[in-house]
Amino acid sequence: MVLHGRSETLMPQVQHFLTRRISARPNLCRRLLATVSGPRPLPATLFSRYVVEPRKVTIVGAPLADGQPLLGVDRGPTFIRKRGLVQRLERDAWRVEDLGDLDFERRSGLGRQEDFAAGAAHGSTKRAKMVGHANRILYEVTHEHARQDKLVLTLGGDHSIGVGSVAGALKGRPETAIIWVDAHADINSRNTSESGHLHGMVLSFLMNLDNSRNMKGFHWLNDESIPVLLPTRLVYVGLRDLDKGEKAFIRSLGIKAYTMHEVDKFGIGKIMEMVLDHILGRTDRPLHLSFDIDAVDPLYAPSTGTRVAGGLSYREAYYICEEVAHSGCLASMDLVEVNPTLTTAGGDERTVDMAVGLISSATGNSIL
């Protein structure tokens, strides 16, 4: 007998055979049934196994711009809200708790960014102290709401906020796996980064590559006992602009990565089937979706700081989010790198509307 795909069920007669023997060897037979039958079916009334009903979503604004050099990305959360995010979520039966934007400067106790940013570099990195402290603040908030079995939605800001949002997910739900949708791998360490910008080093902190957690500003990852992200719990989709050091990390660690070459070759449907099969297989596990808007082709989302041609099409981007929602395992998400100040003639609105639409699809909105 050959079973295809993670949703395939065991043939009825074999299920019956195993079920009859549960009384004799209950533990063994239950494990066998779970192994071959896949994840438990999700009741139609539930969105996710990891979000209690009535479904609640906590929105956290993370207006951090210090992980990269361009002004304006800190305005992303405000613009996304203004384009109707809360109303879209409420229309889809979510109970929305919007915490507003975190005040990183005030809560960090470090003063205004310009007072210390120039002297906050560590090694080849830039503004490490500010980014590290801001992410600790974000971690504390996202962890608290993840523990309450809510969907946690973080709005960036640049992608350096992924340190805090993913740390909160891992602390609250240690089995969490990450789907990283991005044009860039964001896995440089301080030893491999060519720019020193921390939005390109997020995963090195989460995976503690080159002892990145020992950097000033990031000791809290160890102090808080944040689980180290395992290479098998990370999958990339949409990569197309990688540094030499990033390629080396991905290959040496065996991280599953579907670049735009694979998207072109197999199609986004097959890609998402392979993504979910790799990180879920036949088990239930919380998913964190980290979606950098620059994964989308600039034709559809031009208002972002690191545009790279040849990205995901409009429908490919939406399909990724739809399939994550259909998995029944989404527990948290961040949407980052929307910078409404970088384009004119409607490019800012197209980008923000794309961001709102992707969030809506990831949280269960469907065509039919």
Side-chain angles (χ1 to χ4, degrees), residues 85-153:
L85 174 64
V86 172
Q87 292 79 5
R88 289 279 290 271
L89 291 169
E90 290 177 338
R91 194 163 67 232
D92 291 330
W94 285 93
R95 296 189 179 184
V96 179
E97 178 185 21
D98 189 351
L99 302 183
D101 288 353
L102 298 176
D103 189 337
F104 292 132
E105 295 178 6
R106 177 176 59 82
R107 290 195 57 199
S108 68
L110 295 173
R112 296 182 304 161
Q113 294 182 26
E114 56 266 31
D115 290 340
F116 64 86
H122 180 86
S124 62
T125 61
K126 299 172 182 176
R127 300 179 179 175
K129 191 175 181 181
M130 176 61 199
V131 173
H133 279 264
N135 272 285
R136 179 166 190 166
I137 293 166
L138 178 58
Y139 151 71
E140 292 170 351
V141 175
T142 55
H143 173 225
E144 175 61 27
H145 289 270
R147 292 195 313 115
Q148 300 175 34
D149 294 325
K150 301 174 183 177
L151 180 69
V152 183
L153 171 62

Side-chain angles (χ1 to χ4, degrees), residues 76-310:
T78 297
F79 275 71
I80 290 172
R81 290 188 183 94
K82 285 183 177 179
R83 297 298 287 185
L85 174 64
V86 172
Q87 292 79 5
R88 289 279 290 271
L89 291 169
E90 290 177 338
R91 194 163 67 232
D92 291 330
W94 285 93
R95 296 189 179 184
V96 179
E97 178 185 21
D98 189 351
L99 302 183
D101 288 353
L102 298 176
D103 189 337
F104 292 132
E105 295 178 6
R106 177 176 59 82
R107 290 195 57 199
S108 68
L110 295 173
R112 296 182 304 161
Q113 294 182 26
E114 56 266 31
D115 290 340
F116 64 86
H122 180 86
S124 62
T125 61
K126 299 172 182 176
R127 300 179 179 175
K129 191 175 181 181
M130 176 61 199
V131 173
H133 279 264
N135 272 285
R136 179 166 190 166
I137 293 166
L138 178 58
Y139 151 71
E140 292 170 351
V141 175
T142 55
H143 173 225
E144 175 61 27
H145 289 270
R147 292 195 313 115
Q148 300 175 34
D149 294 325
K150 301 174 183 177
L151 180 69
V152 183
L153 171 62
T154 305
L155 307 177
D158 68 59
H159 215 161
S160 67
I161 64 101
V163 177
S165 65
V166 175
L170 290 172
K171 184 69 172 182
R173 303 174 173 114
E175 296 298 311
T176 295
I178 316 299
I179 300 176
W180 198 271
V181 185
D182 202 326
H184 312 90
D186 296 347
I187 198 172
N188 272 308
S189 72
R190 56 184 167 180
N191 297 330
T192 67
S193 176
E194 300 174 6
S195 69
H197 297 309
L198 287 161
H199 73 159
M201 305 184 198
V202 183
L203 289 160
S204 72
F205 296 109
L206 295 168
M207 305 178 81
N208 200 26
L209 304 179
D210 290 343
N211 293 315
S212 293
R213 294 188 176 193
N214 291 332
M215 280 179 53
K216 289 182 179 179
F218 292 90
H219 293 109
W220 61 269
L221 287 161
N222 287 330
D223 296 341
E224 296 289 332
S225 300
I226 306 302
V228 173
L229 177 63
L230 301 176
T232 54
R233 300 279 174 84
L234 170 65
V235 181
Y236 286 113
V237 180
L239 296 179
R240 59 189 186 279
D241 185 17
L242 304 177
D243 294 336
K244 181 179 179 180
E246 293 180 309
K247 293 179 182 179
F249 276 135
I250 292 171
R251 289 167 178 161
S252 64
L253 295 171
I255 298 171
K256 190 69 71 175
Y258 297 103
T259 70
M260 287 306 301
H261 173 82
E262 283 75 39
V263 173
D264 291 340
K265 181 177 181 179
F266 296 107
I268 198 62
K270 181 62 176 178
I271 291 294
M272 288 309 297
E273 180 183 330
M274 292 189 289
V275 165
L276 294 171
D277 186 62
H278 175 71
I279 56 177
L280 293 179
R282 301 187 182 281
T283 64
D284 295 338
R285 179 175 291 126
L287 294 181
H288 177 94
L289 175 62
S290 189
F291 203 117
D292 188 324
I293 201 70
D294 73 20
V296 182
D297 192 271
L299 178 66
Y300 307 104
S303 205
T304 187
T306 48
R307 293 189 294 270
V308 185

